[in-house]
Amino acid sequence: MRRKLAAGNWKMNGVSTQLAEVEALCAAHPSPRVDLLIAPPATLISSMVVSAANHALEVAGQDCHGEKNGAHTGDISGEMLKDAGASYVILGHSERREDHSESDDDVRSKARAALAADLKVVICIGESLEEREAANTLEIIAGQLAGSLPDILTGENTVIAYEPIWAIGTGKVPTLAQIGEVHDFIRSKLQTRFGEGVGRSIRLLYGGSVKPSNASEIFNVSNVDGALVGGASLKAEDFSGIIKALEDAI
Ligand code: PEP
Protein backbone atom coordinates (compact mmCIF):
# COMPACT_ATOMS: atom_id res chain seq x y z
CA MET A 1 0.00 0.00 0.00
CA ARG A 2 1.32 3.43 -0.89
CA ARG A 3 0.80 5.96 1.89
CA LYS A 4 -0.87 9.07 0.54
CA LEU A 5 0.99 12.36 0.50
CA ALA A 6 -0.19 15.98 0.54
CA ALA A 7 2.72 18.22 -0.40
CA GLY A 8 2.71 22.02 -0.49
CA ASN A 9 5.08 24.17 -2.54
CA TRP A 10 5.28 27.74 -1.26
CA LYS A 11 7.60 28.81 -4.11
CA MET A 12 9.04 32.33 -3.52
CA ASN A 13 6.34 33.23 -1.00
CA GLY A 14 6.50 33.77 2.72
CA VAL A 15 8.56 35.38 5.46
CA SER A 16 8.53 34.27 9.08
CA THR A 17 5.00 35.56 9.77
CA GLN A 18 3.76 32.95 7.28
CA LEU A 19 4.78 30.20 9.72
CA ALA A 20 1.55 30.90 11.62
CA GLU A 21 -0.17 29.00 8.78
CA VAL A 22 1.95 25.91 9.49
CA GLU A 23 1.21 26.10 13.18
CA ALA A 24 -2.52 26.36 12.39
CA LEU A 25 -2.26 23.42 9.99
CA CYS A 26 -0.49 21.23 12.56
CA ALA A 27 -3.11 22.17 15.16
CA ALA A 28 -5.92 21.27 12.74
CA HIS A 29 -4.35 17.87 11.93
CA PRO A 30 -2.75 16.56 15.13
CA SER A 31 -2.66 12.95 13.84
CA PRO A 32 -2.88 13.04 10.05
CA ARG A 33 -3.68 9.76 8.29
CA VAL A 34 -1.64 10.88 5.28
CA ASP A 35 1.94 12.16 4.97
CA LEU A 36 2.26 15.95 5.03
CA LEU A 37 5.07 17.92 3.44
CA ILE A 38 5.68 21.63 2.86
CA ALA A 39 8.48 23.16 0.78
CA PRO A 40 8.98 26.72 2.02
CA PRO A 41 11.62 29.10 0.68
CA ALA A 42 15.06 27.96 1.92
CA THR A 43 15.14 30.88 4.40
CA LEU A 44 12.23 29.33 6.31
CA ILE A 45 13.29 25.67 6.40
CA SER A 46 14.88 25.64 9.87
CA SER A 47 12.17 27.74 11.47
CA MET A 48 9.43 25.63 9.86
CA VAL A 49 11.04 22.53 11.36
CA VAL A 50 10.67 24.22 14.76
CA SER A 51 7.07 25.24 14.02
CA ALA A 52 6.27 21.61 13.18
CA ALA A 53 8.18 20.12 16.12
CA ASN A 54 6.41 17.06 17.58
CA HIS A 55 4.26 16.86 14.46
CA ALA A 56 4.47 14.47 11.52
CA LEU A 57 4.67 17.31 8.99
CA GLU A 58 7.96 17.16 7.07
CA VAL A 59 9.82 20.00 5.40
CA ALA A 60 11.29 20.10 1.89
CA GLY A 61 13.65 22.23 -0.14
CA GLN A 62 12.48 23.50 -3.52
CA ASP A 63 15.70 22.70 -5.40
CA CYS A 64 19.29 21.67 -4.78
CA HIS A 65 22.56 21.68 -6.73
CA GLY A 66 23.91 18.59 -8.46
CA GLU A 67 27.28 18.97 -6.74
CA LYS A 68 27.99 18.30 -3.09
CA ASN A 69 29.62 21.70 -2.51
CA GLY A 70 31.84 24.23 -4.29
CA ALA A 71 31.96 27.54 -6.09
CA HIS A 72 28.27 27.93 -6.97
CA THR A 73 27.19 31.31 -5.65
CA GLY A 74 23.54 31.45 -4.66
CA ASP A 75 22.98 27.71 -4.87
CA ILE A 76 22.17 25.26 -2.11
CA SER A 77 23.31 21.66 -1.71
CA GLY A 78 21.40 18.61 -0.59
CA GLU A 79 23.60 18.38 2.48
CA MET A 80 22.70 21.99 3.41
CA LEU A 81 18.98 21.27 3.10
CA LYS A 82 19.38 18.17 5.21
CA ASP A 83 21.40 20.10 7.79
CA ALA A 84 18.64 22.73 7.96
CA GLY A 85 16.13 19.99 8.79
CA ALA A 86 14.59 19.18 5.42
CA SER A 87 13.87 15.55 4.64
CA TYR A 88 12.74 16.00 1.03
CA VAL A 89 13.59 18.19 -1.94
CA ILE A 90 11.41 19.05 -4.95
CA LEU A 91 13.37 18.74 -8.21
CA GLY A 92 12.59 19.60 -11.82
CA HIS A 93 9.60 21.83 -11.10
CA SER A 94 8.50 23.39 -14.39
CA GLU A 95 9.35 26.84 -13.01
CA ARG A 96 12.96 25.65 -12.49
CA ARG A 97 12.98 24.01 -15.91
CA GLU A 98 11.68 27.24 -17.51
CA ASP A 99 13.29 30.01 -15.42
CA HIS A 100 16.68 28.30 -15.07
CA SER A 101 16.74 26.19 -18.26
CA GLU A 102 17.04 22.99 -16.26
CA SER A 103 17.22 19.90 -18.46
CA ASP A 104 16.30 16.32 -17.66
CA ASP A 105 20.04 15.64 -17.23
CA ASP A 106 20.27 18.44 -14.65
CA VAL A 107 17.30 17.03 -12.78
CA ARG A 108 18.83 13.55 -12.76
CA SER A 109 22.16 14.90 -11.41
CA LYS A 110 20.34 16.83 -8.73
CA ALA A 111 18.33 13.76 -7.80
CA ARG A 112 21.51 11.69 -7.44
CA ALA A 113 23.07 14.40 -5.25
CA ALA A 114 19.93 14.71 -3.12
CA LEU A 115 19.66 10.96 -2.59
CA ALA A 116 23.37 10.84 -1.68
CA ALA A 117 22.63 13.52 0.95
CA ASP A 118 19.93 11.23 2.35
CA LEU A 119 17.06 13.39 1.15
CA LYS A 120 13.92 12.00 -0.47
CA VAL A 121 13.06 13.53 -3.84
CA VAL A 122 9.85 14.75 -5.46
CA ILE A 123 10.60 14.81 -9.18
CA CYS A 124 8.24 16.92 -11.30
CA ILE A 125 7.33 16.22 -14.90
CA GLY A 126 4.60 17.54 -17.15
CA GLU A 127 3.75 18.75 -20.63
CA SER A 128 3.14 22.26 -21.97
CA LEU A 129 -0.17 23.28 -23.54
CA GLU A 130 1.35 23.10 -27.03
CA GLU A 131 2.57 19.57 -26.36
CA ARG A 132 -0.87 18.56 -25.03
CA GLU A 133 -2.64 20.10 -28.03
CA ALA A 134 -0.26 18.35 -30.41
CA ALA A 135 -1.18 15.02 -28.74
CA ASN A 136 2.43 14.59 -27.59
CA THR A 137 1.76 14.33 -23.86
CA LEU A 138 2.69 10.68 -23.33
CA GLU A 139 5.80 10.99 -25.47
CA ILE A 140 6.94 14.02 -23.44
CA ILE A 141 6.22 12.25 -20.16
CA ALA A 142 8.13 9.15 -21.31
CA GLY A 143 11.14 11.30 -22.25
CA GLN A 144 11.11 13.19 -18.95
CA LEU A 145 10.85 9.97 -16.97
CA ALA A 146 13.69 8.37 -18.91
CA GLY A 147 15.90 11.44 -18.58
CA SER A 148 15.13 12.80 -15.10
CA LEU A 149 15.04 9.67 -12.96
CA PRO A 150 18.26 8.18 -11.62
CA ASP A 151 18.62 4.38 -11.65
CA ILE A 152 18.98 4.12 -7.88
CA LEU A 153 15.55 5.15 -6.74
CA THR A 154 13.09 3.27 -4.53
CA GLY A 155 9.51 3.76 -3.40
CA GLU A 156 10.81 5.03 -0.06
CA ASN A 157 13.06 7.76 -1.43
CA THR A 158 11.26 8.94 -4.56
CA VAL A 159 7.92 10.55 -5.38
CA ILE A 160 6.89 11.66 -8.86
CA ALA A 161 4.63 14.65 -9.41
CA TYR A 162 2.74 14.92 -12.69
CA GLU A 163 2.19 18.62 -13.21
CA PRO A 164 0.86 19.72 -16.59
CA ILE A 165 2.48 23.15 -17.01
CA TRP A 166 -0.72 24.67 -18.34
CA ALA A 167 -2.57 23.73 -15.14
CA ILE A 168 -0.09 25.30 -12.71
CA GLY A 169 -1.47 28.46 -11.13
CA THR A 170 -4.03 28.89 -13.92
CA GLY A 171 -7.18 27.39 -12.42
CA LYS A 172 -7.31 25.01 -15.42
CA VAL A 173 -7.36 21.33 -14.55
CA PRO A 174 -7.15 18.36 -16.93
CA THR A 175 -10.16 16.10 -17.10
CA LEU A 176 -10.13 13.17 -14.70
CA ALA A 177 -9.67 10.88 -17.70
CA GLN A 178 -6.58 12.85 -18.77
CA ILE A 179 -5.09 12.67 -15.27
CA GLY A 180 -5.84 8.95 -15.09
CA GLU A 181 -4.32 8.27 -18.50
CA VAL A 182 -1.02 9.95 -17.58
CA HIS A 183 -0.81 8.44 -14.08
CA ASP A 184 -1.49 4.92 -15.42
CA PHE A 185 1.13 5.51 -18.11
CA ILE A 186 3.72 6.67 -15.54
CA ARG A 187 2.99 3.63 -13.39
CA SER A 188 3.50 1.23 -16.27
CA LYS A 189 6.75 2.96 -17.32
CA LEU A 190 8.06 2.75 -13.75
CA GLN A 191 7.21 -0.95 -13.54
CA THR A 192 8.94 -1.64 -16.83
CA ARG A 193 12.10 0.21 -15.83
CA PHE A 194 12.39 -0.54 -12.11
CA GLY A 195 10.50 -3.82 -11.83
CA GLU A 196 6.97 -4.61 -10.65
CA GLY A 197 7.61 -4.12 -6.93
CA VAL A 198 9.58 -0.87 -7.00
CA GLY A 199 7.45 0.50 -9.84
CA ARG A 200 4.31 -0.16 -7.84
CA SER A 201 5.69 1.41 -4.64
CA ILE A 202 6.60 4.87 -6.01
CA ARG A 203 4.00 7.47 -5.11
CA LEU A 204 2.50 9.57 -7.92
CA LEU A 205 1.17 13.03 -7.10
CA TYR A 206 -1.00 15.18 -9.32
CA GLY A 207 -0.22 18.92 -9.30
CA GLY A 208 -1.90 21.88 -10.98
CA SER A 209 -4.65 24.07 -9.52
CA VAL A 210 -5.69 21.55 -6.84
CA LYS A 211 -8.15 23.16 -4.41
CA PRO A 212 -10.47 21.91 -1.66
CA SER A 213 -13.33 22.05 -4.20
CA ASN A 214 -11.74 19.72 -6.78
CA ALA A 215 -9.45 17.59 -4.59
CA SER A 216 -11.88 14.72 -3.86
CA GLU A 217 -12.57 13.85 -7.48
CA ILE A 218 -8.87 14.02 -8.37
CA PHE A 219 -7.94 11.78 -5.42
CA ASN A 220 -10.36 9.14 -6.63
CA VAL A 221 -8.52 8.75 -9.93
CA SER A 222 -6.46 5.56 -10.15
CA ASN A 223 -2.76 5.88 -9.40
CA VAL A 224 -3.18 9.34 -7.84
CA ASP A 225 -1.51 9.03 -4.43
CA GLY A 226 -1.85 12.66 -3.41
CA ALA A 227 -1.13 16.15 -4.63
CA LEU A 228 1.59 18.73 -5.03
CA VAL A 229 -0.15 21.99 -4.23
CA GLY A 230 1.09 25.51 -4.92
CA GLY A 231 -1.25 28.43 -4.22
CA ALA A 232 -3.71 26.52 -2.03
CA SER A 233 -0.90 25.39 0.32
CA LEU A 234 -0.24 28.94 1.52
CA LYS A 235 -3.37 29.13 3.65
CA ALA A 236 -3.89 26.54 6.37
CA GLU A 237 -7.63 26.51 5.77
CA ASP A 238 -7.28 25.69 2.06
CA PHE A 239 -4.53 23.10 2.50
CA SER A 240 -6.49 21.55 5.33
CA GLY A 241 -9.48 21.02 3.02
CA ILE A 242 -7.21 19.20 0.57
CA ILE A 243 -5.71 17.06 3.36
CA LYS A 244 -9.20 16.07 4.54
CA ALA A 245 -10.18 15.11 0.99
CA LEU A 246 -7.05 12.95 0.75
CA GLU A 247 -7.80 11.27 4.08
CA ASP A 248 -11.32 10.57 2.84
CA ALA A 249 -9.85 8.89 -0.27
CA ILE A 250 -8.01 6.23 1.79
C1 PEP B 1 2.88 23.89 -8.26
O1 PEP B 1 3.49 24.93 -8.32
O2 PEP B 1 3.51 22.83 -8.12
C2 PEP B 1 1.43 23.92 -8.36
C3 PEP B 1 0.80 22.81 -8.57
O3 PEP B 1 0.84 25.16 -8.25
P1 PEP B 1 -0.75 25.46 -8.15
O4 PEP B 1 -1.34 24.48 -7.17
O5 PEP B 1 -0.83 26.87 -7.63
O6 PEP B 1 -1.31 25.29 -9.50
Side-chain angles (χ1 to χ4, degrees):
M1 268 300 283
R2 298 181 297 271
R3 192 168 157 88
K4 296 194 182 287
L5 170 63
N9 174 14
W10 282 9
K11 314 190 184 193
M12 199 174 70
N13 295 297
V15 291
S16 45
T17 48
Q18 174 75 15
L19 293 170
E21 297 296 327
V22 173
E23 284 152 24
L25 191 75
C26 291
H29 297 271
S31 309
R33 290 187 293 123
V34 298
D35 288 347
L36 302 183
L37 180 67
I38 295 184
T43 48
L44 289 182
I45 289 176
S46 331
S47 40
M48 186 178 284
V49 170
V50 174
S51 299
N54 304 318
H55 193 278
L57 183 134
E58 294 183 271
V59 180
Q62 297 178 8
D63 176 50
C64 74
H65 200 276
E67 301 285 333
K68 201 169 173 225
N69 49 34
H72 302 291
T73 303
D75 280 317
I76 193 158
S77 72
E79 186 184 38
M80 290 168 188
L81 294 174
K82 184 81 184 177
D83 185 53
S87 48
Y88 280 82
V89 61
I90 297 173
L91 295 172
H93 191 283
S94 59
E95 288 152 16
R96 298 288 318 172
R97 290 177 186 264
E98 278 177 14
D99 297 355
H100 300 270
S101 308
E102 286 186 10
S103 65
D104 289 334
D105 277 355
D106 295 329
V107 177
R108 193 172 67 246
S109 304
K110 286 169 182 240
R112 283 205 201 99
L115 294 171
D118 199 24
L119 287 167
K120 299 175 201 168
V121 296
V122 178
I123 297 179
C124 303
I125 55 175
E127 82 285 1
S128 67
L129 188 56
E130 297 71 48
E131 289 161 347
R132 163 70 60 184
E133 286 175 349
N136 285 337
T137 297
L138 298 184
E139 193 185 316
I140 293 295
I141 294 296
Q144 290 176 333
L145 284 172
S148 306
L149 302 184
D151 288 326
I152 47 173
L153 53 75
T154 69
E156 282 77 51
N157 65 23
T158 300
V159 175
I160 293 169
Y162 167 55
E163 299 207 306
I165 299 168
W166 51 276
I168 295 179
T170 58
K172 291 183 193 151
V173 181
T175 65
L176 300 179
Q178 287 171 328
I179 295 174
E181 179 189 36
V182 176
H183 279 241
D184 289 349
F185 179 75
I186 296 171
R187 178 73 62 214
S188 83
K189 286 281 172 196
L190 292 175
Q191 289 184 316
T192 304
R193 175 160 166 199
F194 298 101
E196 281 289 311
V198 171
R200 201 177 324 112
S201 66
I202 296 170
R203 292 181 286 185
L204 307 185
L205 307 183
Y206 167 76
S209 298
V210 177
K211 301 181 185 61
S213 56
N214 62 16
S216 287
E217 57 180 19
I218 293 171
F219 294 150
N220 281 313
V221 174
S222 82
N223 279 312
V224 173
D225 302 311
L228 180 55
V229 182
S233 69
L234 289 166
K235 288 268 162 245
E237 192 182 342
D238 293 339
F239 200 32
S240 181
I242 292 169
I243 293 165
K244 283 186 195 134
L246 189 57
E247 289 181 327
D248 288 346
I250 295 174

CSV table of all heavy atoms in Angstrom, one decimal, residues 44-76:
chain,number,residue,atom,x,y,z
A,44,LEU,N,13.2,29.7,5.3
A,44,LEU,CA,12.2,29.3,6.3
A,44,LEU,C,12.3,27.9,6.7
A,44,LEU,O,11.6,27.4,7.6
A,44,LEU,CB,10.8,29.6,5.8
A,44,LEU,CG,10.4,31.1,5.7
A,44,LEU,CD1,8.9,31.2,5.3
A,44,LEU,CD2,10.6,31.8,7.1
A,45,ILE,N,13.3,27.1,6.1
A,45,ILE,CA,13.3,25.7,6.4
A,45,ILE,C,13.5,25.4,7.9
A,45,ILE,O,12.7,24.7,8.5
A,45,ILE,CB,14.4,24.9,5.5
A,45,ILE,CG1,13.9,24.9,4.1
A,45,ILE,CG2,14.6,23.5,6.0
A,45,ILE,CD1,14.9,24.3,3.1
A,46,SER,N,14.6,26.0,8.5
A,46,SER,CA,14.9,25.6,9.9
A,46,SER,C,13.8,26.1,10.8
A,46,SER,O,13.4,25.4,11.7
A,46,SER,CB,16.1,26.3,10.4
A,46,SER,OG,17.0,26.5,9.4
A,47,SER,N,13.2,27.3,10.6
A,47,SER,CA,12.2,27.7,11.5
A,47,SER,C,10.9,27.0,11.3
A,47,SER,O,10.1,26.7,12.2
A,47,SER,CB,11.9,29.2,11.4
A,47,SER,OG,12.0,29.7,10.1
A,48,MET,N,10.6,26.5,10.0
A,48,MET,CA,9.4,25.6,9.9
A,48,MET,C,9.6,24.3,10.6
A,48,MET,O,8.6,23.8,11.1
A,48,MET,CB,9.1,25.4,8.4
A,48,MET,CG,7.8,24.7,8.2
A,48,MET,SD,7.4,24.4,6.5
A,48,MET,CE,6.8,26.0,6.0
A,49,VAL,N,10.8,23.8,10.6
A,49,VAL,CA,11.0,22.5,11.4
A,49,VAL,C,10.7,22.7,12.8
A,49,VAL,O,10.1,21.9,13.5
A,49,VAL,CB,12.5,22.1,11.2
A,49,VAL,CG1,12.9,20.9,12.2
A,49,VAL,CG2,12.8,21.7,9.8
A,50,VAL,N,11.0,23.9,13.4
A,50,VAL,CA,10.7,24.2,14.8
A,50,VAL,C,9.2,24.4,14.9
A,50,VAL,O,8.6,23.8,15.8
A,50,VAL,CB,11.4,25.5,15.2
A,50,VAL,CG1,10.9,25.9,16.6
A,50,VAL,CG2,12.9,25.3,15.2
A,51,SER,N,8.5,25.1,14.0
A,51,SER,CA,7.1,25.2,14.0
A,51,SER,C,6.3,23.9,14.0
A,51,SER,O,5.3,23.8,14.6
A,51,SER,CB,6.6,26.1,12.8
A,51,SER,OG,7.1,27.3,12.8
A,52,ALA,N,6.9,22.9,13.3
A,52,ALA,CA,6.3,21.6,13.2
A,52,ALA,C,6.8,20.6,14.1
A,52,ALA,O,6.6,19.4,14.0
A,52,ALA,CB,6.4,21.1,11.7
A,53,ALA,N,7.6,21.1,15.2
A,53,ALA,CA,8.2,20.1,16.1
A,53,ALA,C,7.1,19.3,16.8
A,53,ALA,O,6.0,19.8,17.0
A,53,ALA,CB,8.9,20.9,17.2
A,54,ASN,N,7.4,18.0,17.0
A,54,ASN,CA,6.4,17.1,17.6
A,54,ASN,C,5.2,16.8,16.7
A,54,ASN,O,4.2,16.4,17.1
A,54,ASN,CB,5.9,17.5,19.0
A,54,ASN,CG,7.1,17.8,19.9
A,54,ASN,OD1,8.0,17.0,19.9
A,54,ASN,ND2,7.0,18.9,20.6
A,55,HIS,N,5.3,17.1,15.4
A,55,HIS,CA,4.3,16.9,14.5
A,55,HIS,C,4.8,16.1,13.3
A,55,HIS,O,6.0,16.2,13.0
A,55,HIS,CB,3.7,18.2,14.0
A,55,HIS,CG,2.4,18.0,13.2
A,55,HIS,ND1,2.3,17.6,11.9
A,55,HIS,CD2,1.1,18.1,13.7
A,55,HIS,CE1,1.0,17.5,11.6
A,55,HIS,NE2,0.3,17.8,12.6
A,56,ALA,N,4.0,15.3,12.6
A,56,ALA,CA,4.5,14.5,11.5
A,56,ALA,C,4.8,15.3,10.3
A,56,ALA,O,5.4,14.7,9.3
A,56,ALA,CB,3.4,13.4,11.2
A,57,LEU,N,4.4,16.5,10.2
A,57,LEU,CA,4.7,17.3,9.0
A,57,LEU,C,6.2,17.4,8.7
A,57,LEU,O,7.0,17.7,9.6
A,57,LEU,CB,4.1,18.7,9.1
A,57,LEU,CG,4.3,19.6,7.9
A,57,LEU,CD1,3.0,20.3,7.6
A,57,LEU,CD2,5.4,20.6,8.1
A,58,GLU,N,6.5,17.1,7.5
A,58,GLU,CA,8.0,17.2,7.1
A,58,GLU,C,8.2,18.4,6.2
A,58,GLU,O,7.3,18.9,5.6
A,58,GLU,CB,8.4,15.9,6.3
A,58,GLU,CG,8.3,14.7,7.3
A,58,GLU,CD,8.8,13.4,6.6
A,58,GLU,OE1,8.0,12.7,6.0
A,58,GLU,OE2,10.0,13.1,6.6
A,59,VAL,N,9.5,18.8,6.1
A,59,VAL,CA,9.8,20.0,5.4
A,59,VAL,C,10.7,19.7,4.2
A,59,VAL,O,11.6,18.8,4.3
A,59,VAL,CB,10.5,21.0,6.4
A,59,VAL,CG1,10.9,22.3,5.7
A,59,VAL,CG2,9.6,21.2,7.6
A,60,ALA,N,10.5,20.4,3.1
A,60,ALA,CA,11.3,20.1,1.9
A,60,ALA,C,12.0,21.4,1.4
A,60,ALA,O,11.5,22.5,1.6
A,60,ALA,CB,10.3,19.6,0.8
A,61,GLY,N,13.1,21.2,0.7
A,61,GLY,CA,13.7,22.2,-0.1
A,61,GLY,C,12.9,22.3,-1.5
A,61,GLY,O,12.2,21.3,-1.8
A,62,GLN,N,13.1,23.4,-2.2
A,62,GLN,CA,12.5,23.5,-3.5
A,62,GLN,C,13.4,23.2,-4.7
A,62,GLN,O,13.0,23.2,-5.8
A,62,GLN,CB,11.9,24.9,-3.7
A,62,GLN,CG,10.9,25.3,-2.7
A,62,GLN,CD,10.4,26.7,-2.8
A,62,GLN,OE1,10.7,27.4,-3.8
A,62,GLN,NE2,9.6,27.2,-1.9
A,63,ASP,N,14.7,23.0,-4.4
A,63,ASP,CA,15.7,22.7,-5.4
A,63,ASP,C,17.0,22.4,-4.7
A,63,ASP,O,17.2,22.8,-3.5
A,63,ASP,CB,15.9,23.9,-6.3
A,63,ASP,CG,17.0,23.7,-7.4
A,63,ASP,OD1,17.0,22.7,-8.0
A,63,ASP,OD2,17.9,24.6,-7.5
A,64,CYS,N,17.9,21.7,-5.3
A,64,CYS,CA,19.3,21.7,-4.8
A,64,CYS,C,20.3,21.5,-6.0
A,64,CYS,O,19.8,21.2,-7.1
A,64,CYS,CB,19.5,20.5,-3.8
A,64,CYS,SG,19.6,18.9,-4.5
A,65,HIS,N,21.5,21.8,-5.7
A,65,HIS,CA,22.6,21.7,-6.7
A,65,HIS,C,22.9,20.2,-7.0
A,65,HIS,O,22.7,19.4,-6.1
A,65,HIS,CB,23.8,22.5,-6.3
A,65,HIS,CG,24.7,22.9,-7.4
A,65,HIS,ND1,25.6,22.0,-7.9
A,65,HIS,CD2,24.7,24.0,-8.2
A,65,HIS,CE1,26.3,22.6,-8.9
A,65,HIS,NE2,25.7,23.8,-9.1
A,66,GLY,N,23.5,20.0,-8.1
A,66,GLY,CA,23.9,18.6,-8.5
A,66,GLY,C,25.3,18.2,-7.9
A,66,GLY,O,25.7,17.1,-7.9
A,67,GLU,N,26.0,19.2,-7.4
A,67,GLU,CA,27.3,19.0,-6.7
A,67,GLU,C,27.1,19.0,-5.2
A,67,GLU,O,26.2,19.6,-4.7
A,67,GLU,CB,28.3,20.1,-7.1
A,67,GLU,CG,28.6,20.2,-8.6
A,67,GLU,CD,29.4,19.1,-9.1
A,67,GLU,OE1,30.2,18.5,-8.4
A,67,GLU,OE2,29.3,18.7,-10.3
A,68,LYS,N,28.1,18.4,-4.6
A,68,LYS,CA,28.0,18.3,-3.1
A,68,LYS,C,28.3,19.7,-2.4
A,68,LYS,O,27.7,20.0,-1.4
A,68,LYS,CB,29.0,17.3,-2.6
A,68,LYS,CG,28.7,16.7,-1.3
A,68,LYS,CD,29.6,15.5,-1.0
A,68,LYS,CE,29.4,15.1,0.5
A,68,LYS,NZ,30.6,14.8,1.2
A,69,ASN,N,29.2,20.4,-3.0
A,69,ASN,CA,29.6,21.7,-2.5
A,69,ASN,C,30.5,22.4,-3.6
A,69,ASN,O,30.8,21.7,-4.6
A,69,ASN,CB,30.4,21.6,-1.2
A,69,ASN,CG,31.5,20.6,-1.2
A,69,ASN,OD1,32.1,20.5,-2.2
A,69,ASN,ND2,31.7,20.0,-0.1
A,70,GLY,N,30.9,23.6,-3.3
A,70,GLY,CA,31.8,24.2,-4.3
A,70,GLY,C,31.5,25.7,-4.6
A,70,GLY,O,30.7,26.3,-4.0
A,71,ALA,N,32.1,26.1,-5.7
A,71,ALA,CA,32.0,27.5,-6.1
A,71,ALA,C,30.7,27.7,-6.9
A,71,ALA,O,30.7,27.8,-8.2
A,71,ALA,CB,33.2,28.0,-6.9
A,72,HIS,N,29.6,27.8,-6.3
A,72,HIS,CA,28.3,27.9,-7.0
A,72,HIS,C,27.4,29.0,-6.2
A,72,HIS,O,26.5,28.6,-5.5
A,72,HIS,CB,27.5,26.6,-7.0
A,72,HIS,CG,28.3,25.5,-7.7
A,72,HIS,ND1,28.6,25.5,-9.0
A,72,HIS,CD2,29.0,24.4,-7.2
A,72,HIS,CE1,29.4,24.5,-9.4
A,72,HIS,NE2,29.6,23.8,-8.3
A,73,THR,N,27.8,30.2,-6.4
A,73,THR,CA,27.2,31.3,-5.6
A,73,THR,C,25.7,31.3,-5.8
A,73,THR,O,25.1,31.2,-6.9
A,73,THR,CB,27.8,32.7,-6.2
A,73,THR,OG1,29.2,32.6,-6.0
A,73,THR,CG2,27.2,33.8,-5.3
A,74,GLY,N,25.0,31.4,-4.7
A,74,GLY,CA,23.5,31.4,-4.7
A,74,GLY,C,22.9,30.1,-4.7
A,74,GLY,O,21.6,30.0,-4.5
A,75,ASP,N,23.6,29.0,-4.8
A,75,ASP,CA,23.0,27.7,-4.9
A,75,ASP,C,23.0,27.1,-3.5
A,75,ASP,O,23.7,27.5,-2.6
A,75,ASP,CB,23.7,26.8,-5.9
A,75,ASP,CG,23.2,27.1,-7.3
A,75,ASP,OD1,22.0,27.3,-7.5
A,75,ASP,OD2,24.1,27.2,-8.2
A,76,ILE,N,22.3,26.0,-3.4
A,76,ILE,CA,22.2,25.3,-2.1
A,76,ILE,C,22.3,23.8,-2.4
A,76,ILE,O,21.8,23.2,-3.4
A,76,ILE,CB,20.8,25.6,-1.4
A,76,ILE,CG1,20.8,25.2,0.0
A,76,ILE,CG2,19.6,25.0,-2.2
A,76,ILE,CD1,19.8,25.9,0.8
